[in-house]
Amino acid sequence: MDLKTANTAINVAIETANGLGVKFCIAVMDSGVNLVAFNRMDGGRVGTIDVAMKKAKTSALFALESGVLGTMTLPGKPVYGLEHSNGGLITFPGGVPIKNGSGEFIGSIGVSGGTVEDDLVVAKAAAKAVAEL
């Protein structure tokens, strides 16, 4: 994940967010869980900064959508309590792995600011755009 690719993801996320009329925070991490790019849209809530970053972190650590882990972290499920590991994770939708055109995992995007459904729509649009580069 280089800065140009991360910025492509951010720009597509912002375009998608504008279409929804919602203000988001957007974080892009590389496969080593390092922040590469971040954007807080004008009017985006301050509380969503950390959530977006943790969604991206969760997705980057496991190369999975953050929401997929949510179903596995409920009481009685295989990885109950996982969200308390790694300095805190987010296990609801909005964190999505990013793959390049060859299908290789190169990082993740985390989006927060709308409903979790909207967060996921924005994140998936950005990930799709990067995969099509």
Side-chain angles (χ1 to χ4, degrees):
M1 174 72 66
D2 58 21
L3 184 58
K4 181 179 177 184
T5 303
N7 282 332
T8 296
I10 294 274
N11 291 333
V12 170
I14 290 169
E15 288 175 25
T16 305
N18 285 334
L20 295 171
V22 181
K23 307 300 182 188
F24 294 90
C25 285
I26 306 151
V28 177
M29 294 191 174
D30 65 19
S31 59
V33 198
N34 301 295
L35 185 65
V36 179
F38 182 86
N39 182 281
R40 178 176 159 236
M41 295 175 69
D42 292 341
R45 292 180 302 238
V46 173
T48 62
I49 294 169
D50 185 58
V51 176
M53 290 175 49
K54 284 186 177 167
K55 286 180 180 184
K57 174 182 171 181
T58 302
S59 184
L61 282 168
F62 298 98
L64 292 171
E65 287 189 22
S66 58
V68 170
L69 289 169
T71 60
M72 300 186 302
T73 58
L74 297 171
K77 297 297 180 178
V79 289
Y80 173 63
L82 178 73
E83 65 275 13
H84 303 292
S85 71
N86 294 288
L89 304 175
I90 299 287
T91 58
F92 48 83
V96 173
I98 296 177
K99 297 181 180 182
N100 63 17
S102 301
E104 299 167 314
F105 172 70
I106 59 170
S108 64
I109 185 165
V111 176
S112 183
T115 64
V116 292
E117 294 83 7
D118 285 347
D119 294 351
L120 185 58
V121 165
V122 172
K124 282 188 169 185
K128 181 177 186 269
V130 170
E132 293 173 353
L133 289 177

